[in-house]
Amino acid sequence: MSTQDSRQESLPQSARTTGSATVTVFASPTSWIESDALAQCHQVAALDGMIHVAAMPDLHPGKGAPIGAAMASSVLYPFLVGSDIGCGIAVFPIKLKHAVPEKLAARFPDLDQALDPVRDADDPAWAVVDDEIPAGHLEGLGTVGRGNHFVELARIDSILDPAHATRLGLTAGGLVLIVHSGSRGLGEQILRAHTEVHGAGSAPDPAAYLALHDDAVRWGSLNRRLMAARVAYALGAEPTEPLVDQCHNLVEVRDGVYLHRKGAAPGDGRDVLIAGTRGTRSYLVAGHAGPDANHSVAHGAGRKMSRADALRRGRAKHTVEELRRTPVGSLVVCGDRQLLFEEAPTAYKRIEQVIADLVDHDLATPIVSTVPLVTYKTPTLGPNSPRDRRDQRRNRGRS
DNA sequence: ATGTAC
């Protein structure tokens, strides 16, 4: 199977009796995979009840558990999903007459500001809420969050599978909104409630955890639709239904076991957008991953550097201006300089290699690529904004 | 990735 396979048959006889699960890495030998991330896969493999760990080519170290892995177990471990339960990527078609990045970047709404049922009662974006708000959770509703989350206006670039692209109504030059976000404070609350009592232990009442988890998954999806509607209206377009909306942090019950996905998208007959970086292409693919891959595909380019390294090396290598205007001509709306360095394209692996690894292992077939026009991270409040002044204080004497 | 504390 994989050239970085470390299945039990390759281990000495004595190691086979430990009850450790199998670990398969779906990456070429030349693809960059950190040894810390592999070590985390093997730590996970040693957990009680673990059956199989499938590591995707975007694998990188996470907090306690690897990111970019699908982990099947007879026991449910909330920490393997992490705090951003329901995080995922949705793609919405959008029609605009003129797509000039400079003009559109200035029109994005403030996605740090939650939709308030009273103050924003007249906001037309509420129309996408067609049911109860999951868990009745209003805090942070309609906000993108931080880290690697973003809302991007992108153009369909290459058509790689014409028949499939046509079925989805995608043509070269068409525009889409790509929304990567999750359940914000809600998922964090759910994991914390478990962790305070059980730490990294399993869920003693899986059904109880799953009920809360499912709320967070629904909330994340609603949040992505709300943001797409907020942005569509702000850009002078109508909101649309998502073409794809796949969640890469969740646990599902499948074949009688708990399949935990952490930075791994469902890849079993579904279409999924695999995000590049703020300054490179993304790829919509048709997933056809089988049991060896725990029915999963990669979720993005995957970090190549820790946030700390990206910040340190980025300050020496890039100016803020070149990170806000990328090599593909897109604009990055980000009023937080530190985040801009942490999320620099050079801090990530090459998305084309990740896609090639998926193709080579027969996990996915690319449908189209997209190229960013405007990527929104967090509001730019102008040169004298409180945020930028804070950044200047933080950076003084260091850069 | 998160809200909160420093």
Side-chain angles (χ1 to χ4, degrees), chain A residues 287-298:
Chain A
H288 37 75
D292 281 347
N294 275 340
H295 313 281
S296 301
V297 296

Side-chain angles (χ1 to χ4, degrees), chain A residues 53-386:
Chain A
V53 175
M56 298 295 131
D58 56 342
L59 186 79
H60 58 100
K63 195 179 164 184
I67 300 170
M71 300 155 279
S73 161
S74 60
V75 172
L76 197 169
Y77 292 100
F79 88 99
L80 292 183
V81 175
S83 63
D84 198 1
I85 304 161
C87 187
I89 299 181
V91 182
F92 305 80
I94 182 170
K95 283 198 170 69
L96 297 172
K97 288 199 180 72
H98 306 287
V100 182
E102 291 76 6
K103 290 191 176 167
L104 294 171
R107 290 174 66 175
F108 270 70
D110 181 347
L111 298 177
D112 273 5
Q113 176 100 60
L115 279 171
D116 185 283
V118 177
R119 189 197 53 224
D120 305 316
D122 297 335
D123 195 311
W126 285 111
V128 306
V129 184
D130 53 5
D131 205 342
E132 301 282 284
I133 292 169
H137 186 85
L138 282 167
E139 201 185 316
L141 192 63
T143 65
V144 64
R146 288 295 171 92
N148 59 359
H149 292 175
F150 63 84
V151 177
E152 182 170 284
L153 176 68
R155 192 184 288 286
I156 306 294
D157 183 44
S158 303
I159 304 290
L160 305 162
D161 182 339
H164 201 142
T166 301
R167 280 206 299 283
L168 292 173
L170 296 173
T171 52
L175 300 175
V176 290
L177 284 175
I178 303 169
V179 182
H180 177 196
S181 188
S183 59
R184 311 287 287 105
L186 180 59
E188 200 270 337
Q189 229 175 270
I190 294 166
L191 180 66
R192 184 155 32 84
H194 172 85
T195 307
E196 275 171 2
V197 184
H198 306 287
S202 61
D205 182 351
Y209 170 82
L210 283 173
L212 300 171
H213 160 284
D214 292 353
D215 273 342
V217 168
R218 282 190 289 271
W219 199 98
S221 179
L222 174 62
N223 197 37
R224 290 187 286 278
R225 282 182 284 131
L226 271 171
M227 276 186 277
R230 292 181 86 175
V231 171
Y233 283 122
L235 301 185
E238 289 296 314
T240 57
E241 287 296 308
L243 280 175
V244 300
D245 182 12
Q246 296 300 347
C247 181
H248 49 238
N249 291 351
L250 86 170
V251 57
E252 77 181 44
V253 181
R254 181 172 181 136
D255 304 328
V257 303
Y258 297 109
L259 176 51
H260 310 74
R261 290 196 176 91
K262 173 68 170 173
D268 47 353
R270 287 179 270 192
D271 299 336
V272 56
L273 186 112
I274 303 184
T277 71
R278 286 1 84 220
T280 57
R281 284 165 178 75
S282 292
Y283 288 79
L284 182 65
V285 306
H288 37 75
D292 281 347
N294 275 340
H295 313 281
S296 301
V297 296
H299 81 312
R303 294 199 74 85
K304 187 171 69 182
M305 280 176 222
S306 68
R307 291 188 176 276
D309 282 350
L311 190 58
R312 196 163 34 78
R313 296 174 61 171
R315 280 213 183 98
K317 196 161 47 182
H318 307 294
T319 63
V320 167
E321 290 68 33
E322 82 189 63
L323 294 174
R324 284 183 173 152
R325 162 74 78 177
T326 78
V328 295
S330 67
L331 295 178
V332 179
V333 178
C334 184
D336 183 334
R337 289 151 181 263
Q338 177 170 330
L339 185 60
L340 211 43
F341 286 116
E342 288 175 358
E343 290 292 310
T346 46
Y348 283 85
K349 307 184 198 197
R350 244 185 93 236
I351 185 66
E352 281 75 17
Q353 185 60 56
V354 170
I355 300 296
D357 284 349
L358 294 176
V359 171
D360 290 348
H361 288 91
D362 204 24
L363 301 188
T365 303
I367 305 166
V368 303
S369 65
T370 66
V371 65
L373 295 174
V374 179
T375 306
Y376 178 99
K377 297 285 293 176
T378 189
T380 313
L381 302 168
N384 292 314
S385 71

